[in-house]
Amino acid sequence: MRVLQRVRNMIKVMKGGRWGYFYDRFPGTQKLFSLTNLLPHKSRYKYILLGGHGVGLTAVKHYLSRCQAKPMEILSYENFRPFVFWREFDGLVLDKSPLNNDASKILATCTKRVPVYQLVRDPIGIVKSNVNATMLHIISTIHTQKDANALVFEIVKNISHLMISFSSQRKLVEHITSDVSYLSMEDIDDANMSSTMQKFCDRFGYTNYSNDEESVIKGSSFPRCFPYIFHIDGEVFGLSTLSRLADGSSAEIDASVNIESKLLRWSHPIHKLESIVVEGYESHPLYLVCAAPPLLKVVA
């Protein structure tokens, strides 16, 4: 009976397209699923988005999702997600130039030419962004300028295929590119993101829902300092931007240190106790929240 139940569960997972379920449970499945892309499949995508770490890709994907443009990162741990069986999507998203030897063969199976949107940023800006984020992760180990300098060189040494890959990314999808639009940091900043998304939505027939009560541009170090989680009298509280609470983000400061309750699942809708605006960071309002709404006391 137990074996039969497991088979049923696996069938449900396969029907639901949740192939990532198998990745960590069965060795070799990532490579196997990746190679299924060599089978004939429909070219269902409408656009291609190219980016990387430190160029605002997370923010752009967030707004595309809000507009129901259904972006999907097709690369996971150097293996391609299965186009044939994967859930419905409209946009192919590449967040780096893959080291996978099968990458060019797999992308060659795509035949429909569509518009390409590529996020660009000067290399020094990319390095600075990644240094700032990494320092947050290991801030307790940075004691001197010498420590910071060593971190910079370590990041630059390992940055090649992850972030500075504008031309190599484009070459991979050159055969299915109808035209190219470049998005700079100015195009996706707090002032211009909405108008950039409006142009995108007008072109593809989506509805623009990119107006958020707070910015989710991840290049700023300020929102990445949160959520800050603490306990008072046995109750769990958090201080964070709303988007980072909603997506279940973990505390990023000293991410490598074993800190209790770095990642908590908050009740939905999130019960906000108070909002706080820090001078100079008005686009990133903070919210004080509790893990669960407090019980209402009945007055006799």
Side-chain angles (χ1 to χ4, degrees):
M1 289 296 293
R2 183 176 297 180
V3 174
L4 183 60
Q5 184 60 46
R6 286 184 178 179
V7 171
R8 289 174 178 171
N9 291 338
M10 290 179 66
I11 292 174
K12 287 181 181 180
V13 169
M14 294 165 67
K15 285 184 176 180
R18 295 185 289 116
W19 294 92
Y21 172 86
F22 299 102
Y23 274 23
D24 297 326
R25 291 169 174 81
F26 302 99
T29 53
Q30 290 189 12
K31 179 72 171 180
L32 178 62
F33 286 159
S34 183
L35 292 177
T36 63
N37 294 302
L38 295 174
L39 299 172
H41 57 85
K42 293 182 179 179
S43 296
R44 297 177 295 175
Y45 52 91
K46 297 180 180 179
Y47 65 91
I48 298 171
L49 176 63
L50 305 178
H53 296 270
V55 298
L57 181 63
T58 299
V60 173
K61 287 193 303 177
H62 169 85
Y63 286 120
L64 287 174
S65 296
R66 284 184 61 85
C67 299
Q68 304 300 310
K70 293 177 286 191
M72 185 189 77
E73 286 191 28
I74 60 176
L75 199 65
S76 178
Y77 301 105
E78 292 298 342
N79 287 292
F80 281 85
R81 299 180 187 274
F83 299 159
V84 183
F85 306 111
W86 198 254
R87 62 181 178 271
E88 185 182 359
F89 62 92
D90 284 356
L92 302 182
V93 180
L94 263 178
D95 68 341
K96 58 186 174 183
S97 289
L99 299 176
N100 189 328
N101 294 329
D102 299 312
S104 58
K105 295 178 184 178
I106 289 173
L107 286 171
T109 65
C110 299
T111 57
K112 186 168 71 170
R113 300 174 71 88
V114 297
V116 169
Y117 287 80
Q118 183 159 27
L119 293 162
V120 294
R121 185 178 189 179
D122 68 280
I124 298 301
I126 294 176
V127 172
K128 288 173 63 177
S129 174
N130 282 274
V131 169
N132 289 337
T134 305
M135 286 184 70
L136 276 176
H137 294 166
I138 57 172
I139 196 168
S140 64
T141 66
I142 304 296
H143 304 296
T144 65
Q145 186 63 49
K146 184 178 179 180
D147 294 335
N149 292 344
L151 177 64
V152 172
F153 283 102
E154 181 182 349
I155 288 176
V156 170
K157 185 173 65 175
N158 298 299
I159 206 170
S160 57
H161 88 288
L162 288 176
M163 303 130 195
I164 304 174
S165 52
F166 306 126
S167 59
S168 54
Q169 279 187 321
R170 278 278 307 284
K171 188 174 181 179
L172 281 172
V173 297
E174 194 172 33
H175 65 292
I176 49 175
T177 299
S178 62
D179 59 84
V180 181
S181 298
Y182 295 101
L183 300 180
S184 67
M185 295 300 98
E186 183 177 338
D187 293 321
I188 61 171
D189 63 14
D190 291 346
N192 297 309
M193 177 66 90
S194 184
S195 60
T196 297
M197 290 306 305
Q198 187 62 58
K199 294 176 184 176
F200 179 91
C201 291
D202 289 344
R203 181 174 189 179
F204 293 97
Y206 299 115
T207 301
N208 186 9
Y209 293 111
S210 63
N211 291 317
D212 269 339
E213 60 180 281
E214 59 143 315
S215 165
V216 295
I217 303 298
K218 299 299 183 183
S220 171
S221 295
F222 181 76
R224 300 195 70 158
C225 294
F226 303 97
Y228 173 65
I229 300 165
F230 58 98
H231 300 73
I232 298 179
D233 295 333
E235 298 293 331
V236 183
F237 298 87
L239 183 66
S240 180
T241 59
L242 191 58
S243 65
R244 293 187 64 76
L245 286 169
D247 68 10
S249 297
S250 59
E252 293 209 38
I253 293 183
D254 275 342
S256 58
V257 178
N258 185 20
I259 300 175
E260 183 183 2
S261 302
K262 284 198 300 184
L263 175 60
L264 292 175
R265 295 296 177 185
W266 302 93
S267 58
H268 291 278
I270 294 173
H271 184 71
K272 294 180 288 186
L273 301 176
E274 187 176 346
S275 60
I276 302 170
V277 176
V278 179
E279 184 177 354
Y281 298 95
E282 289 79 5
S283 296
H284 305 281
L286 299 175
Y287 294 92
L288 177 64
V289 304
C290 60
L295 295 174
L296 296 176
K297 294 183 179 179
V298 179
V299 179

